[in-house]
């Protein structure tokens, strides 16, 4: 396999999180998730437990627990006698995941409108500036930066349950995009994010929800969820087995 994400080497100045009983497992989890969002790990790709354990300097059992956590989130699948692979969503998965995320994001942005402080609006505007810079420089972490915009809105909404649900859906949406996007590109448009920030800043929940729905209609329109693509996916599945 290629592109094993290294602990403490994300280059983004992000400190290693310490949470839960086994902080190193959280670090490995975060690095694998970042690698998926950055598209270094793609649907169907094999995750070699031994190589991951060597790369992170941990027992194989810890890598296995991280992979099981990702399996529980439908991001990884285990195949008998073959090991772990990044999930490859079906067309039905794609419709369901984006429909769920579109509805959840509209609820979340309404709450963000109600609860955003002046500091929150400043954070959103700073993030937008970072996002524009990442887009213009075509930085490799541009997709992650765009995803983090949506996570930031969820944080502002102030409901950890919704925030966690959105995190799960973001990861699955990235997998859908990896398989079904019409051409390699960027999931989110900064201008649409900018419009969302102004709706939140002006506390216009109806306008914010409408803009969010438009944003997701736009994203879904960038996907090819046709029978032709279904056949292509079937061919790849055959080649992998
Ligand atoms: Zn977006």
């Amino acid at each position: 396999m290629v592109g094993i994400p290294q602990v403490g080497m994300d280059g983004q100045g992000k400190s290693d999180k310490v949470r839960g009983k086994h902080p190193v497992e959280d670090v490995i989890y975060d690095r694998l998730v970042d690698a998926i969002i950055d598209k270094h790990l793609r649907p169907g790709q094999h995750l070699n437990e031994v190589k991951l354990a060597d790369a992170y300097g941990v027992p194989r059992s810890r890598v296995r627990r991280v992979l099981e956590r990702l399996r529980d989130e439908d991001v990884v699948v285990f195949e008998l006698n073959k090991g772990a692979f990044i999930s490859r969503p079906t067309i039905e998965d794609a419709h369901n995941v984006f429909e769920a995320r579109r509805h959840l994001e509209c609820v979340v942005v309404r709450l963000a409108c109600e609860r955003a402080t002046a500091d929150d609006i400043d954070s959103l505007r700073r993030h937008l500036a970072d996002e524009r810079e990442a887009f213009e420089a075509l930085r490799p972490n541009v997709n992650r930066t765009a995803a983090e915009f949506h996570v930031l809105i969820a944080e502002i909404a102030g409901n950890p349950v919704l925030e966690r649900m959105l995190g799960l859906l973001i990861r699955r949406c990235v997998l859908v995009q990896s398989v079904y996007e019409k051409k390699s590109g960027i999931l989110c448009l900064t201008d649409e994010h900018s419009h969302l920030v102004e709706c939140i800043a002006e506390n216009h929940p109806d306008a914010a929800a409408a803009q969010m729905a438009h944003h997701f209609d736009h994203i879904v329109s960038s996907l090819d969820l046709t029978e032709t693509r279904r056949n292509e996916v079937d061919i790849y599945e055959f080649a992998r087995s």
Side-chain angles (χ1 to χ4, degrees), residues 101 131 146-147 149-150 187-189 192-193 196 212 215-216 219:
R101 183 172 169 194
E131 199 175 295
F149 173 80
H150 290 266
L187 186 62
C188 292
L189 296 177
E192 294 182 3
H193 283 185
L196 281 166
M212 189 64 89
H215 186 47
F216 275 88
I219 292 168

Side-chain angles (χ1 to χ4, degrees), residues 58-158:
V58 297
R60 188 174 171 180
S61 59
R62 292 216 163 163
V63 170
R64 168 56 74 114
R65 280 198 289 270
V66 173
L67 296 179
E68 287 173 345
R69 183 171 162 192
L70 290 166
R71 176 202 58 196
D72 292 344
E73 297 179 356
D74 293 323
V75 169
V76 160
V77 292
F78 286 98
E79 295 188 13
L80 191 63
N81 299 324
K82 292 180 182 174
F85 296 83
I86 301 291
S87 297
R88 181 182 289 280
T90 65
I91 289 175
E92 290 75 18
D93 293 333
H95 283 295
N96 290 335
V97 166
F98 268 96
E99 181 178 71
R101 183 172 169 194
R102 184 179 187 274
H103 285 292
L104 187 67
E105 292 263 15
C106 289
V107 170
V108 165
V109 80
R110 282 181 179 278
L111 290 174
C113 287
E114 293 174 15
R115 297 171 181 171
T117 64
D119 285 347
D120 290 333
I121 303 300
D122 287 344
S123 295
L124 283 168
R125 290 191 168 132
R126 278 197 303 275
H127 187 92
L128 268 184
D130 292 344
E131 199 175 295
R132 279 191 200 284
E133 195 270 336
F135 274 54
E136 286 167 7
L138 295 175
R139 297 199 187 286
N141 67 328
V142 66
N143 280 318
R144 199 185 334 158
T145 305
E148 285 167 355
F149 173 80
H150 290 266
V151 173
L152 183 54
I153 291 177
E155 289 173 0
I156 292 168

Side-chain angles (χ1 to χ4, degrees), residues 15-24 26-27 30:
S15 62
D16 291 342
K17 295 175 184 173
V18 178
R19 59 176 192 266
K21 203 171 179 181
H22 299 293
V24 70
D26 292 335
V27 172
D30 287 343

